[in-house]
Amino acid sequence: MPSKMQIILTACVVLSGTLPASMEAVAAGTRAAKRSKAADVDPRGQVLAFSCAGCHGTDGKSVGIIPGFYGKSPEYLEAALKDFKSGARFSSIMGRHAKGYSDEEIHQIAEYFGTVWTKNK
Amino acid sequence: MNISRRDFNKLIVSGIAGSALGVFGGIGNAYAAKNRVVVIGGGFGGATAAKYLKKLDPSLSVTLVEPKAAYITCPFSNWVLGGLKTMEEITQTYGNLSSRYGVKVMADTAVSIDTARSTVTLKGGAVLNYDRLIVSPGIDFKWDAIQGYSQEVAEATMPHAFQAGPQTVLLNRQLQMMKDGGTVLICPPANPFRCPPGPYERASIIAYYLKEHKPKSKILILDAKDKFSKQALFQKGWERLYPGMIEWRGAAKGGKVQAVDSAAMTVTTELEVLKGDVVNIIPPQKAGRIAFDSGLSDASGWCPVNPVSFESTLRPGVHVIGDACVAGPMPKSGFAASSQGKVAAAAIVRLLRGKQPVSPSLVNTCYSLLAPGYGISVAGVYKISAEGIVEVPNSGGLTPIDAGDDQLMQEAMYARGWYNNIVKDIWG
């Protein structure tokens, strides 16, 4: 008999499992249109992206030596994260972080940062 | 376990959002009025949560209860011992949270929580109503775990320096007064405890100071456990930077301290009585007092939570974040607390709007400094699984053991950059 906690967790996993599929449906060509609506923030992309601010500054605006990325395009960020993940691009620590995300999650994170700076343009 | 769509929907209402039943409770737009969030504790977890709640939804009423006007960060407090940071440089304040983000900051202490009435009573007499409460109280010490040790002893002679502030100043002053050729005892507890690499970074930076100013001195780490965070990286660094200066004795070699005598400046292990010129006792810990007193902690001394929202599994409507909560394999670190603060804030915003929280990821990034140009790090990315919070396989991990000097230098520089950005992300 599963405990209440297990049921809660199972429900959540099922829920999260449905998200990447819907994101895959977002073709590259519709990105710009999607992005222009700042109100349409993908909540999962947002909560994943919040983690980045701890080292890179709020919204990617760094005040110190760690590279910032505010204003970089989602395409650039997605490619950079995938290169860190594969090891194609050298890093001291980013490879270790990027390996923690699926390609879909990397896409969601990159798209979120796109909405952050386009809405401030 | 397979569940049908209908069952799944039922689970969402009864499970994830179960504690939001007040929200779903059938009263048309009842949730429209539910916008009051109280946050207890202005450290890495609580201050992050307060700021991100307002960032996510400026219409929320967010009250942060924190007795200290200035918060001195534990991260980088070891650097003060090597003269690499001043106390002022590791002091954060709450002005920006109120002026830029509209957080109401109350300089008071929360003394009790009434979960039936959804109120928090403050020492000054005020009673705050909340729709959602976040408790981020940090740690409290188990003073009776080591015979002869107490808060009075910590404040007079044998500092723990694991809550930064006067304790950091005291330890620093003792190191500066110590004679060349003296012995520094550092006595860390068994797991789990705040900042797992902290005692070993401390040993490194004290060694950096001693090598420069008192090179005949020694550091002896008397440990209550048999292995420690970033162990191979620390030990390799000690060998390279401070050969012969730092000795580590694990529990199996009689490292566990059982008693202290503050007048004699001695500690007693299973095997012997050892004298120190400076004695740093880091006692075992438990969730901060308000969590303990409010029924948020279990027999472990820490607070069990739903890993999706960090809502207490013991007291619905109350979320516990930071060192005080049980977050699976996540270490009790400032970064982890901040990551949890963001996740809890995002979950609460959705719960107050009658939506279920999304499945989050959580992150930890901890740098440790062994010398000004010699840094190491650990990274962790965590997801939610049926077992709770788990580390994503094949991700995260340590600085490579064979990292070159250029990479160790870069990690040392990034450690400084980490501090600048995380404190701005939280208090800026």
Side-chain angles (χ1 to χ4, degrees):
Chain A
M1 190 67 189
S3 69
K4 190 180 175 192
M5 174 58 82
Q6 280 171 321
I7 293 171
I8 294 170
L9 292 170
T10 307
C12 189
V13 170
V14 170
L15 173 69
S16 69
T18 64
L19 283 169
S22 67
M23 290 310 297
E24 275 174 294
V26 180
T30 64
R31 277 182 169 187
K34 187 179 186 321
R35 232 176 267 145
S36 66
K37 287 186 270 172
D40 289 350
V41 172
D42 167 30
R44 185 142 201 274
Q46 183 177 47
V47 84
L48 296 178
F50 279 170
S51 298
C52 308
C55 294
H56 291 276
T58 309
D59 297 332
K61 291 179 192 170
S62 178
V63 294
I65 191 169
I66 293 178
F69 52 76
Y70 181 80
K72 289 221 177 359
S73 72
E75 291 79 3
Y76 173 89
L77 291 173
E78 185 168 342
L81 285 167
K82 285 179 175 169
D83 285 348
F84 285 134
K85 184 179 169 181
S86 71
R89 182 167 167 182
F90 174 80
S91 66
S92 62
I93 198 167
M94 274 312 299
R96 291 181 260 160
H97 281 296
K99 287 191 183 92
Y101 302 92
S102 68
D103 285 355
E104 288 82 3
E105 288 169 334
I106 285 174
H107 175 80
Q108 288 173 305
I109 292 168
E111 285 297 317
Y112 171 75
F113 284 115
T115 66
V116 166
W117 67 268
T118 50
K119 107 181 151 190
N120 293 342
K121 263 205 293 205
Chain B
M1 175 180 144
N2 254 324
I3 49 174
S4 69
R5 169 59 60 178
R6 199 187 62 186
D7 287 342
F8 176 62
N9 287 339
K10 243 164 40 188
L11 289 172
I12 290 173
V13 174
S14 67
I16 290 181
S19 61
L21 279 178
V23 170
F24 284 121
I27 313 163
N29 62 349
Y31 64 80
K34 291 191 182 287
N35 69 345
R36 298 164 302 178
V37 185
V38 173
V39 183
I40 298 174
F44 280 77
T48 301
K51 172 170 166 176
Y52 272 76
L53 280 163
K54 291 295 280 186
K55 203 169 141 61
L56 282 158
D57 186 349
S59 74
L60 291 178
S61 159
V62 178
T63 304
L64 177 64
V65 180
E66 167 57 56
K68 295 187 288 291
Y71 180 85
I72 301 169
T73 63
C74 251
F76 279 55
S77 62
N78 284 330
W79 292 43
V80 173
L81 307 175
L84 303 169
K85 285 273 180 190
T86 64
M87 292 301 286
E88 290 71 31
E89 286 170 328
I90 60 164
T91 300
Q92 309 302 328
T93 54
Y94 299 97
N96 291 330
L97 286 184
S98 51
S99 67
R100 291 186 188 162
Y101 292 91
V103 174
K104 185 178 179 196
V105 181
M106 294 188 74
D108 207 333
T109 303
V111 290
S112 66
I113 299 167
D114 184 337
T115 50
R117 292 193 173 79
S118 296
T119 58
V120 177
T121 302
L122 308 185
K123 201 173 182 179
V127 177
L128 308 177
N129 294 288
Y130 66 81
D131 298 306
R132 287 271 160 183
L133 175 64
I134 296 179
V135 179
S136 186
I139 55 163
D140 209 347
F141 296 105
K142 293 181 175 172
W143 294 111
D144 54 359
I146 297 171
Q147 198 191 333
Y149 199 60
S150 64
Q151 187 165 355
E152 292 70 36
V153 169
E155 287 170 5
T157 48
M158 296 178 166
H160 54 74
F162 245 56
Q163 285 164 329
Q167 283 282 294
T168 316
V169 173
L170 176 60
L171 179 58
N172 195 34
R173 192 167 66 233
Q174 291 181 339
L175 290 166
Q176 290 180 349
M177 303 281 282
M178 191 180 83
K179 63 177 189 287
D180 189 9
T183 299
V184 179
L185 302 181
I186 300 176
C187 311
N191 294 324
F193 67 106
R194 157 178 287 186
C195 191
Y200 315 98
E201 181 192 62
R202 174 170 294 174
S204 311
I205 295 185
I206 291 175
Y208 167 74
Y209 164 76
L210 294 176
K211 186 182 176 184
E212 191 85 359
H213 300 280
K214 294 156 191 177
K216 287 182 252 165
S217 308
K218 294 264 185 281
I219 299 167
L220 176 57
I221 304 172
L222 296 169
D223 214 325
K225 54 192 170 300
D226 280 317
K227 53 184 184 178
F228 61 88
S229 173
K230 306 176 185 168
Q231 183 167 352
L233 287 163
F234 273 117
Q235 290 182 321
K236 183 178 179 184
W238 294 342
E239 201 57 46
R240 291 184 63 192
L241 298 163
Y242 315 112
M245 191 173 243
I246 301 174
E247 183 193 341
W248 175 76
R249 206 172 292 174
K253 296 251 166 70
K256 186 177 185 218
V257 170
Q258 297 174 322
V260 301
D261 181 334
S262 60
M265 287 296 276
T266 58
V267 307
T268 305
T269 67
E270 275 172 14
L271 304 177
E272 59 197 321
V273 177
L274 292 154
K275 186 169 166 46
D277 296 283
V278 173
V279 180
N280 171 215
I281 301 287
I282 305 167
Q285 298 152 24
K286 59 185 178 181
R289 173 167 295 175
I290 185 74
F292 216 77
D293 293 350
S294 306
L296 292 164
S297 58
D298 63 16
S300 73
W302 307 101
C303 305
V305 293
N306 175 329
V308 176
S309 61
F310 285 81
E311 182 167 0
S312 168
T313 55
L314 303 174
R315 295 283 184 272
V318 182
H319 302 247
V320 185
I321 56 173
D323 294 348
C325 79
V326 180
M330 292 187 82
K332 298 186 182 302
S333 73
F335 196 104
S338 178
S339 178
Q340 293 159 9
K342 291 171 185 179
V343 165
I348 285 172
V349 167
R350 288 182 67 81
L351 288 168
L352 290 174
R353 291 172 183 167
K355 296 174 182 167
Q356 67 213 26
V358 297
S359 180
S361 74
L362 292 136
V363 170
N364 181 55
T365 310
C366 282
Y367 286 95
S368 300
L369 199 73
L370 281 75
Y374 195 118
I376 58 176
S377 64
V378 62
V381 184
Y382 308 86
K383 296 278 167 58
I384 313 303
S385 82
E387 286 80 44
I389 297 173
V390 292
E391 194 154 12
V392 177
N394 306 315
S395 74
L398 302 165
T399 303
I401 191 73
D402 58 355
D405 287 347
D406 53 343
Q407 187 170 345
L408 298 167
M409 168 67 85
Q410 183 169 339
E411 298 246 68
M413 292 192 294
Y414 280 175
R416 286 178 183 275
W418 174 97
Y419 188 83
N420 295 339
N421 277 339
I422 196 169
V423 299
K424 187 150 198 299
D425 189 39
I426 298 172
W427 291 278

